[in-house]
Amino acid sequence: MAKNLKPETICVQEGWKPTKGEPRVLPIFQSTTFKYDNSDQMARLFDLEDSGYFYTRLQNPTNDAVAAKIAALEGGVAGMLTSSGQAANFYAVFNICEAGDHFVCSTAIYGGTYNLFSVTMKKLGIEMTFVDQNASEEELQKAFRPNTKCLFGETISNPGCEVLDIEKFARVAHKNGVPLIIDNTFATPINCRPFEWGADIVTHSTTKYMDGHATAVGGAIVDSGNFDWQAHADKFLGLCTPDESYHGLTYTDRFGKMAYITKATAQLMRDLGSIQSPMNSFLLNLGLETLHLRMKRHCENAQAVAEYLSKNEKVAWVKYSGLPDSPYYELGKKYLPNGSCGVIAFGLKGTREDAIRFMDKLNLICIVTHVADARSCVLHPASHTHRQMSDEQLMEAGVAPDLIRLSVGIENVEDIIGDIAQALED
């Protein structure tokens, strides 16, 4: 197939490449195991000397086809699917960090990721420093240590809707000889491709816009292939020194630009097993085929809703980068010229109880834990997804106690606004 395909074509055509007589549509390889003719063939697979399939916990043809499509959308060299977005973020960092290491992360991230990094990974002996993503490069630099292994941020923060200055983060990361990892879930590669702005690794909760229908939990990691691990071999021993669990194989020597994803698959997935099921991958692929169509509608609807909210006298504030008075308007125009996403953060005049009362009055828009699918939904993060965080941590993460996260779907926008209007009535 021709190279340099447009994203719309990649969504539909990439990944599964049928040959003569094979199914036109990606099949579900719903099998845990794969047959070989002799023992030596299987042994070579276990030693990473041949490529192929032998156990779905490591790789599966359905999964690999979908991972290849997502990698093509992001412009990366390789990708892998995980069981959830949380698993993707964990694997992305843990693939290059171990006990005694440190990494730096923006405070403006999803509450689940915040807890994963600040609590769970700390128990594994990996320290992390949070930074204000709007700080100067000089301020960001102060967070780095000799044992820092990566810098992490979200293209559009969940739920604060802050837009990350990717180029600034990339400069700081590379100055310190570490990769920049970006969670690109909300923007999707349809609206932003972080590799084009200097990011090295991208993660996704495919559960969100990529699936689009709230049917399948999943995650993905994509490597740009641009970070030179060997140039910083003293920092990344797991990639640049022999792995005794594979008879002394060195990933960068054997696999080159594929080293990072190969290690994540052959080592982390082998041992931790957070694989996406082939059935979920199949459903994800169906969602990807219409991603380019849905993202346009999400953005159009969200822009209209954000403008309505910003003019409503009962609304105290609105965060959406498409609004000219947003502090992220210029960054949005730079990194997200075709629109950001369908998620809006806003607050009502009044108390937290007023916000909850408003949500309870909605009819079309449902209160759910989910976000970023075809149906409009709403959540109060301080009471739900971020309730483990203190008020101080909430404010650091850009989550005001009165923040309402509205995920605008692809319904008729007049119906969405109508539901909001009636819920705002006394």
Side-chain angles (χ1 to χ4, degrees):
M1 189 174 289
K3 295 182 178 180
N4 302 317
L5 295 174
K6 303 298 183 186
E8 297 87 346
T9 305
I10 294 173
C11 281
V12 178
Q13 293 279 359
E14 280 295 297
W16 174 243
K17 305 288 188 181
T19 57
K20 181 179 179 180
E22 290 187 319
R24 181 70 180 89
V25 176
L26 173 66
I28 307 170
F29 286 87
Q30 195 66 41
S31 179
T32 60
T33 54
F34 302 84
K35 175 187 176 296
Y36 287 87
D37 292 333
N38 57 63
S39 179
D40 182 63
Q41 291 174 342
M42 183 71 77
R44 291 180 64 80
L45 292 173
F46 272 98
D47 286 343
L48 304 183
E49 294 177 355
D50 280 347
S51 60
Y53 302 99
F54 52 95
Y55 197 57
T56 284
R57 172 156 50 84
L58 279 87
Q59 288 180 285
N60 176 281
T62 307
N63 292 9
D64 281 3
V66 181
K69 176 178 285 190
I70 295 173
L73 282 168
E74 286 288 6
V77 297
M80 67 178 288
L81 299 186
T82 61
S83 57
S84 67
Q86 283 288 89
N89 284 335
F90 174 61
Y91 277 26
V93 175
F94 196 55
N95 199 35
I96 50 177
C97 287
E98 58 185 48
D101 287 341
H102 169 262
F103 68 103
V104 180
C105 178
S106 166
T107 56
I109 59 172
Y110 167 58
T113 311
Y114 190 105
N115 198 73
L116 167 67
F117 289 169
S118 64
V119 178
T120 302
M121 293 193 74
K122 187 176 181 180
K123 295 177 181 178
L124 298 175
I126 300 171
E127 292 190 69
M128 183 270 313
T129 300
F130 280 121
V131 293
D132 178 0
Q133 68 181 42
N134 300 313
S136 67
E137 293 184 36
E138 291 73 23
E139 283 298 310
L140 294 174
Q141 179 61 41
K142 294 177 182 178
F144 284 78
R145 307 173 186 173
N147 63 336
T148 300
K149 296 299 176 68
C150 66
L151 175 59
F152 186 98
E154 294 180 356
T155 311
I156 305 170
S157 67
N158 177 11
C161 297
E162 299 181 29
V163 179
L164 181 71
D165 189 341
I166 302 172
E167 283 192 314
K168 178 179 74 175
F169 260 46
R171 284 193 299 270
V172 176
H174 297 157
K175 178 182 177 181
N176 290 275
V178 302
L180 172 59
I181 304 175
I182 296 288
D183 184 328
N184 198 33
T185 296
F186 271 12
T188 81
I190 300 301
N191 287 344
C192 182
R193 303 213 311 175
F195 295 156
E196 296 175 354
W197 303 100
D200 302 290
I201 296 156
V202 160
T203 64
H204 286 276
S205 170
T206 62
T207 317
K208 310 302 189 297
Y209 287 122
M210 284 188 168
D211 171 80
H213 305 95
T215 58
V217 174
I221 307 172
V222 179
D223 181 16
S224 67
N226 295 331
F227 191 81
D228 190 347
W229 306 105
Q230 203 60 52
H232 308 282
D234 58 325
K235 280 183 173 287
F236 304 105
L237 300 180
L239 285 161
C240 303
T241 59
D243 180 355
E244 295 308 319
S245 68
Y246 282 105
H247 309 296
L249 172 151
T250 300
Y251 293 98
T252 50
D253 290 346
R254 176 74 68 85
F255 301 104
K257 288 182 177 293
M258 303 289 286
Y260 176 86
I261 290 294
T262 301
K263 177 179 179 292
T265 302
Q267 197 181 83
L268 299 189
M269 197 63 79
R270 175 197 65 191
D271 295 342
L272 301 175
S274 301
I275 193 71
Q276 189 166 150
S277 75
M279 183 68 206
N280 279 13
S281 300
F282 174 81
L283 294 172
L284 169 58
N285 189 60
L286 294 180
L288 287 168
E289 290 181 353
T290 60
L291 179 62
H292 58 293
L293 301 174
R294 290 183 285 105
M295 287 307 296
K296 182 178 180 181
R297 182 61 173 264
H298 279 295
C299 292
E300 290 173 350
N301 282 358
Q303 183 69 33
V305 171
E307 291 173 1
Y308 167 80
L309 290 170
S310 67
K311 298 172 183 176
N312 192 291
E313 61 181 15
K314 296 184 179 181
V315 176
W317 55 270
V318 181
K319 287 187 178 181
Y320 190 70
S321 63
L323 297 176
D325 63 351
S326 167
Y328 301 99
Y329 183 70
E330 293 302 322
L331 284 176
K333 286 201 302 182
K334 176 180 179 178
Y335 295 117
L336 306 155
N338 298 319
S340 58
C341 65
V343 181
I344 301 169
F346 69 100
L348 299 179
K349 295 175 181 177
T351 64
R352 178 183 291 199
E353 287 68 32
D354 291 321
I356 294 172
R357 192 178 303 111
F358 160 75
M359 293 191 298
D360 288 346
K361 289 177 65 178
L362 293 166
N363 296 316
L364 178 72
I365 304 169
C366 295
I367 301 172
V368 299
T369 305
H370 202 238
V371 66
D373 67 61
R375 305 163 191 84
S376 292
C377 54
V378 69
L379 189 76
H380 184 243
S383 299
H384 304 134
T385 54
H386 292 60
R387 68 179 298 114
Q388 290 86 3
M389 297 167 65
S390 66
D391 285 348
E392 182 181 356
Q393 290 173 325
L394 285 170
M395 296 306 295
E396 286 179 356
V399 183
D402 63 338
L403 185 152
I404 296 170
R405 184 184 71 185
L406 174 62
S407 180
V408 181
I410 59 175
E411 305 94 343
N412 184 285
V413 71
E414 293 181 8
D415 293 333
I416 298 171
I417 293 175
D419 193 33
I420 294 170
Q422 66 81 26
L424 288 171
E425 292 177 359
D426 294 328

mmCIF file of all heavy atoms in Angstrom, residues 117-147:
data_model
loop_
_atom_site.group_PDB
_atom_site.id
_atom_site.type_symbol
_atom_site.label_atom_id
_atom_site.label_comp_id
_atom_site.label_asym_id
_atom_site.label_seq_id
_atom_site.Cartn_x
_atom_site.Cartn_y
_atom_site.Cartn_z
ATOM 1 N N PHE A 117 1.048 6.589 39.640
ATOM 2 C CA PHE A 117 2.425 7.088 39.699
ATOM 3 C C PHE A 117 2.857 7.467 41.114
ATOM 4 O O PHE A 117 3.992 7.190 41.512
ATOM 5 C CB PHE A 117 2.570 8.309 38.784
ATOM 6 C CG PHE A 117 2.527 7.997 37.318
ATOM 7 C CD1 PHE A 117 2.409 9.024 36.383
ATOM 8 C CD2 PHE A 117 2.600 6.694 36.845
ATOM 9 C CE1 PHE A 117 2.389 8.761 35.028
ATOM 10 C CE2 PHE A 117 2.571 6.409 35.481
ATOM 11 C CZ PHE A 117 2.466 7.451 34.567
ATOM 12 N N SER A 118 1.966 8.116 41.866
ATOM 13 C CA SER A 118 2.367 8.665 43.157
ATOM 14 C C SER A 118 2.271 7.672 44.305
ATOM 15 O O SER A 118 2.953 7.816 45.316
ATOM 16 C CB SER A 118 1.516 9.900 43.485
ATOM 17 O OG SER A 118 0.149 9.557 43.627
ATOM 18 N N VAL A 119 1.426 6.651 44.166
ATOM 19 C CA VAL A 119 1.231 5.692 45.254
ATOM 20 C C VAL A 119 1.759 4.301 44.886
ATOM 21 O O VAL A 119 2.670 3.776 45.536
ATOM 22 C CB VAL A 119 -0.263 5.598 45.650
ATOM 23 C CG1 VAL A 119 -0.461 4.560 46.758
ATOM 24 C CG2 VAL A 119 -0.781 6.963 46.107
ATOM 25 N N THR A 120 1.196 3.708 43.833
ATOM 26 C CA THR A 120 1.525 2.320 43.507
ATOM 27 C C THR A 120 2.972 2.160 43.048
ATOM 28 O O THR A 120 3.689 1.257 43.508
ATOM 29 C CB THR A 120 0.559 1.781 42.446
ATOM 30 O OG1 THR A 120 -0.774 1.885 42.946
ATOM 31 C CG2 THR A 120 0.866 0.321 42.127
ATOM 32 N N MET A 121 3.420 3.024 42.134
ATOM 33 C CA MET A 121 4.794 2.870 41.645
ATOM 34 C C MET A 121 5.818 3.227 42.717
ATOM 35 O O MET A 121 6.941 2.714 42.706
ATOM 36 C CB MET A 121 5.000 3.694 40.372
ATOM 37 C CG MET A 121 4.180 3.155 39.207
ATOM 38 S SD MET A 121 4.610 3.817 37.593
ATOM 39 C CE MET A 121 6.145 2.960 37.276
ATOM 40 N N LYS A 122 5.414 4.074 43.647
ATOM 41 C CA LYS A 122 6.302 4.383 44.777
ATOM 42 C C LYS A 122 6.565 3.135 45.601
ATOM 43 O O LYS A 122 7.663 2.929 46.124
ATOM 44 C CB LYS A 122 5.672 5.479 45.636
ATOM 45 C CG LYS A 122 6.570 5.996 46.736
ATOM 46 C CD LYS A 122 5.914 7.148 47.484
ATOM 47 C CE LYS A 122 6.807 7.698 48.570
ATOM 48 N NZ LYS A 122 6.164 8.815 49.292
ATOM 49 N N LYS A 123 5.544 2.264 45.704
ATOM 50 C CA LYS A 123 5.709 1.000 46.434
ATOM 51 C C LYS A 123 6.690 0.064 45.727
ATOM 52 O O LYS A 123 7.241 -0.847 46.346
ATOM 53 C CB LYS A 123 4.358 0.309 46.600
ATOM 54 C CG LYS A 123 3.366 1.069 47.480
ATOM 55 C CD LYS A 123 2.025 0.365 47.532
ATOM 56 C CE LYS A 123 1.031 1.130 48.386
ATOM 57 N NZ LYS A 123 -0.316 0.485 48.405
ATOM 58 N N LEU A 124 6.888 0.288 44.429
ATOM 59 C CA LEU A 124 7.838 -0.518 43.667
ATOM 60 C C LEU A 124 9.243 0.074 43.715
ATOM 61 O O LEU A 124 10.160 -0.441 43.076
ATOM 62 C CB LEU A 124 7.381 -0.628 42.205
ATOM 63 C CG LEU A 124 6.033 -1.303 41.962
ATOM 64 C CD1 LEU A 124 5.663 -1.239 40.483
ATOM 65 C CD2 LEU A 124 6.056 -2.743 42.438
ATOM 66 N N GLY A 125 9.391 1.172 44.459
ATOM 67 C CA GLY A 125 10.714 1.782 44.596
ATOM 68 C C GLY A 125 11.032 2.800 43.525
ATOM 69 O O GLY A 125 12.195 3.197 43.363
ATOM 70 N N ILE A 126 10.001 3.240 42.777
ATOM 71 C CA ILE A 126 10.207 4.230 41.726
ATOM 72 C C ILE A 126 9.616 5.559 42.191
ATOM 73 O O ILE A 126 8.417 5.661 42.442
ATOM 74 C CB ILE A 126 9.538 3.783 40.412
ATOM 75 C CG1 ILE A 126 10.143 2.458 39.943
ATOM 76 C CG2 ILE A 126 9.695 4.853 39.330
ATOM 77 C CD1 ILE A 126 9.404 1.823 38.784
ATOM 78 N N GLU A 127 10.463 6.568 42.307
ATOM 79 C CA GLU A 127 10.015 7.878 42.773
ATOM 80 C C GLU A 127 9.593 8.756 41.601
ATOM 81 O O GLU A 127 10.055 8.569 40.473
ATOM 82 C CB GLU A 127 11.127 8.569 43.558
ATOM 83 C CG GLU A 127 11.453 7.919 44.884
ATOM 84 C CD GLU A 127 12.379 8.799 45.696
ATOM 85 O OE1 GLU A 127 11.936 9.867 46.147
ATOM 86 O OE2 GLU A 127 13.550 8.415 45.854
ATOM 87 N N MET A 128 8.716 9.712 41.894
ATOM 88 C CA MET A 128 8.194 10.585 40.853
ATOM 89 C C MET A 128 8.020 11.981 41.422
ATOM 90 O O MET A 128 7.651 12.154 42.581
ATOM 91 C CB MET A 128 6.863 10.009 40.352
ATOM 92 C CG MET A 128 6.215 10.749 39.215
ATOM 93 S SD MET A 128 5.123 12.032 39.783
ATOM 94 C CE MET A 128 4.190 11.181 41.033
ATOM 95 N N THR A 129 8.305 12.992 40.610
ATOM 96 C CA THR A 129 8.119 14.386 40.995
ATOM 97 C C THR A 129 7.095 15.026 40.071
ATOM 98 O O THR A 129 7.243 14.970 38.842
ATOM 99 C CB THR A 129 9.445 15.168 40.911
ATOM 100 O OG1 THR A 129 10.400 14.585 41.792
ATOM 101 C CG2 THR A 129 9.231 16.634 41.268
ATOM 102 N N PHE A 130 6.063 15.618 40.654
ATOM 103 C CA PHE A 130 5.065 16.327 39.861
ATOM 104 C C PHE A 130 5.537 17.753 39.594
ATOM 105 O O PHE A 130 6.150 18.399 40.457
ATOM 106 C CB PHE A 130 3.726 16.376 40.604
ATOM 107 C CG PHE A 130 2.920 15.118 40.498
ATOM 108 C CD1 PHE A 130 2.553 14.419 41.641
ATOM 109 C CD2 PHE A 130 2.519 14.626 39.260
ATOM 110 C CE1 PHE A 130 1.801 13.260 41.552
ATOM 111 C CE2 PHE A 130 1.779 13.460 39.161
ATOM 112 C CZ PHE A 130 1.410 12.782 40.306
ATOM 113 N N VAL A 131 5.224 18.250 38.398
ATOM 114 C CA VAL A 131 5.579 19.618 38.022
ATOM 115 C C VAL A 131 4.373 20.305 37.400
ATOM 116 O O VAL A 131 3.487 19.663 36.833
ATOM 117 C CB VAL A 131 6.752 19.641 37.012
ATOM 118 C CG1 VAL A 131 8.031 19.138 37.651
ATOM 119 C CG2 VAL A 131 6.425 18.832 35.749
ATOM 120 N N ASP A 132 4.345 21.608 37.501
ATOM 121 C CA ASP A 132 3.334 22.425 36.834
ATOM 122 C C ASP A 132 3.712 22.523 35.366
ATOM 123 O O ASP A 132 4.766 23.077 35.020
ATOM 124 C CB ASP A 132 3.301 23.817 37.476
ATOM 125 C CG ASP A 132 2.309 24.765 36.801
ATOM 126 O OD1 ASP A 132 1.638 24.364 35.830
ATOM 127 O OD2 ASP A 132 2.216 25.930 37.246
ATOM 128 N N GLN A 133 2.872 21.991 34.475
ATOM 129 C CA GLN A 133 3.231 21.953 33.062
ATOM 130 C C GLN A 133 3.304 23.348 32.433
ATOM 131 O O GLN A 133 3.866 23.515 31.345
ATOM 132 C CB GLN A 133 2.258 21.088 32.284
ATOM 133 C CG GLN A 133 0.847 21.623 32.168
ATOM 134 C CD GLN A 133 -0.041 20.649 31.394
ATOM 135 O OE1 GLN A 133 0.026 19.444 31.574
ATOM 136 N NE2 GLN A 133 -0.875 21.178 30.507
ATOM 137 N N ASN A 134 2.769 24.353 33.119
ATOM 138 C CA ASN A 134 2.830 25.713 32.601
ATOM 139 C C ASN A 134 4.068 26.469 33.077
ATOM 140 O O ASN A 134 4.267 27.626 32.705
ATOM 141 C CB ASN A 134 1.568 26.480 33.013
ATOM 142 C CG ASN A 134 0.309 25.819 32.474
ATOM 143 O OD1 ASN A 134 0.227 25.470 31.316
ATOM 144 N ND2 ASN A 134 -0.676 25.629 33.346
ATOM 145 N N ALA A 135 4.891 25.811 33.882
ATOM 146 C CA ALA A 135 6.103 26.442 34.398
ATOM 147 C C ALA A 135 7.124 26.634 33.273
ATOM 148 O O ALA A 135 7.053 25.999 32.212
ATOM 149 C CB ALA A 135 6.698 25.592 35.508
ATOM 150 N N SER A 136 8.097 27.494 33.527
ATOM 151 C CA SER A 136 9.157 27.739 32.544
ATOM 152 C C SER A 136 10.071 26.521 32.447
ATOM 153 O O SER A 136 10.076 25.653 33.325
ATOM 154 C CB SER A 136 9.980 28.955 32.973
ATOM 155 O OG SER A 136 10.695 28.667 34.169
ATOM 156 N N GLU A 137 10.862 26.491 31.396
ATOM 157 C CA GLU A 137 11.807 25.383 31.226
ATOM 158 C C GLU A 137 12.808 25.349 32.377
ATOM 159 O O GLU A 137 13.229 24.269 32.811
ATOM 160 C CB GLU A 137 12.523 25.503 29.880
ATOM 161 C CG GLU A 137 11.598 25.292 28.684
ATOM 162 C CD GLU A 137 12.325 25.323 27.355
ATOM 163 O OE1 GLU A 137 13.476 24.844 27.294
ATOM 164 O OE2 GLU A 137 11.740 25.823 26.370
ATOM 165 N N GLU A 138 13.168 26.521 32.875
ATOM 166 C CA GLU A 138 14.114 26.596 33.987
ATOM 167 C C GLU A 138 13.513 25.972 35.248
ATOM 168 O O GLU A 138 14.204 25.259 35.987
ATOM 169 C CB GLU A 138 14.500 28.051 34.257
ATOM 170 C CG GLU A 138 15.350 28.700 33.179
ATOM 171 C CD GLU A 138 14.555 29.023 31.912
ATOM 172 O OE1 GLU A 138 13.302 29.150 32.004
ATOM 173 O OE2 GLU A 138 15.184 29.144 30.841
ATOM 174 N N GLU A 139 12.232 26.226 35.474
ATOM 175 C CA GLU A 139 11.569 25.643 36.632
ATOM 176 C C GLU A 139 11.410 24.132 36.475
ATOM 177 O O GLU A 139 11.607 23.367 37.421
ATOM 178 C CB GLU A 139 10.199 26.302 36.839
ATOM 179 C CG GLU A 139 10.262 27.676 37.469
ATOM 180 C CD GLU A 139 10.868 27.641 38.854
ATOM 181 O OE1 GLU A 139 10.435 26.806 39.683
ATOM 182 O OE2 GLU A 139 11.777 28.445 39.127
ATOM 183 N N LEU A 140 11.052 23.692 35.282
ATOM 184 C CA LEU A 140 10.900 22.257 35.028
ATOM 185 C C LEU A 140 12.226 21.525 35.245
ATOM 186 O O LEU A 140 12.258 20.407 35.771
ATOM 187 C CB LEU A 140 10.392 22.020 33.605
ATOM 188 C CG LEU A 140 8.981 22.512 33.275
ATOM 189 C CD1 LEU A 140 8.688 22.341 31.790
ATOM 190 C CD2 LEU A 140 7.928 21.775 34.103
ATOM 191 N N GLN A 141 13.306 22.172 34.842
ATOM 192 C CA GLN A 141 14.624 21.555 34.949
ATOM 193 C C GLN A 141 14.973 21.186 36.389
ATOM 194 O O GLN A 141 15.652 20.193 36.650
ATOM 195 C CB GLN A 141 15.686 22.504 34.381
ATOM 196 C CG GLN A 141 17.108 21.996 34.465
ATOM 197 C CD GLN A 141 17.330 20.701 33.698
ATOM 198 O OE1 GLN A 141 16.821 20.536 32.597
ATOM 199 N NE2 GLN A 141 18.076 19.776 34.279
ATOM 200 N N LYS A 142 14.483 21.958 37.338
ATOM 201 C CA LYS A 142 14.797 21.721 38.751
ATOM 202 C C LYS A 142 14.285 20.379 39.257
ATOM 203 O O LYS A 142 14.776 19.864 40.269
ATOM 204 C CB LYS A 142 14.217 22.847 39.607
ATOM 205 C CG LYS A 142 14.850 24.209 39.352
ATOM 206 C CD LYS A 142 14.172 25.285 40.177
ATOM 207 C CE LYS A 142 14.777 26.660 39.891
ATOM 208 N NZ LYS A 142 14.092 27.735 40.664
ATOM 209 N N ALA A 143 13.316 19.794 38.563
ATOM 210 C CA ALA A 143 12.735 18.527 39.011
ATOM 211 C C ALA A 143 13.579 17.322 38.608
ATOM 212 O O ALA A 143 13.379 16.222 39.130
ATOM 213 C CB ALA A 143 11.324 18.374 38.452
ATOM 214 N N PHE A 144 14.515 17.510 37.689
ATOM 215 C CA PHE A 144 15.280 16.388 37.167
ATOM 216 C C PHE A 144 16.451 16.032 38.071
ATOM 217 O O PHE A 144 17.054 16.886 38.714
ATOM 218 C CB PHE A 144 15.779 16.705 35.750
ATOM 219 C CG PHE A 144 14.698 16.604 34.709
ATOM 220 C CD1 PHE A 144 13.765 17.627 34.568
ATOM 221 C CD2 PHE A 144 14.593 15.490 33.892
ATOM 222 C CE1 PHE A 144 12.758 17.537 33.625
ATOM 223 C CE2 PHE A 144 13.591 15.386 32.951
ATOM 224 C CZ PHE A 144 12.663 16.414 32.823
ATOM 225 N N ARG A 145 16.748 14.721 38.106
ATOM 226 C CA ARG A 145 17.837 14.185 38.904
ATOM 227 C C ARG A 145 18.730 13.312 38.019
ATOM 228 O O ARG A 145 18.335 12.947 36.910
ATOM 229 C CB ARG A 145 17.292 13.327 40.053
ATOM 230 C CG ARG A 145 16.250 14.007 40.933
ATOM 231 C CD ARG A 145 15.677 13.003 41.923
ATOM 232 N NE ARG A 145 14.567 13.550 42.711
ATOM 233 C CZ ARG A 145 13.831 12.830 43.543
ATOM 234 N NH1 ARG A 145 14.088 11.530 43.706
ATOM 235 N NH2 ARG A 145 12.842 13.397 44.217
ATOM 236 N N PRO A 146 19.887 12.921 38.506
ATOM 237 C CA PRO A 146 20.738 12.020 37.709
ATOM 238 C C PRO A 146 20.060 10.696 37.382
ATOM 239 O O PRO A 146 20.358 10.077 36.350
ATOM 240 C CB PRO A 146 21.958 11.808 38.620
ATOM 241 C CG PRO A 146 22.008 13.048 39.456
ATOM 242 C CD PRO A 146 20.576 13.424 39.709
ATOM 243 N N ASN A 147 19.131 10.241 38.242
ATOM 244 C CA ASN A 147 18.457 8.955 38.005
ATOM 245 C C ASN A 147 17.074 9.111 37.377
ATOM 246 O O ASN A 147 16.281 8.166 37.355
ATOM 247 C CB ASN A 147 18.334 8.164 39.311
ATOM 248 C CG ASN A 147 17.475 8.876 40.356
ATOM 249 O OD1 ASN A 147 17.338 10.099 40.319
ATOM 250 N ND2 ASN A 147 16.918 8.114 41.286
#
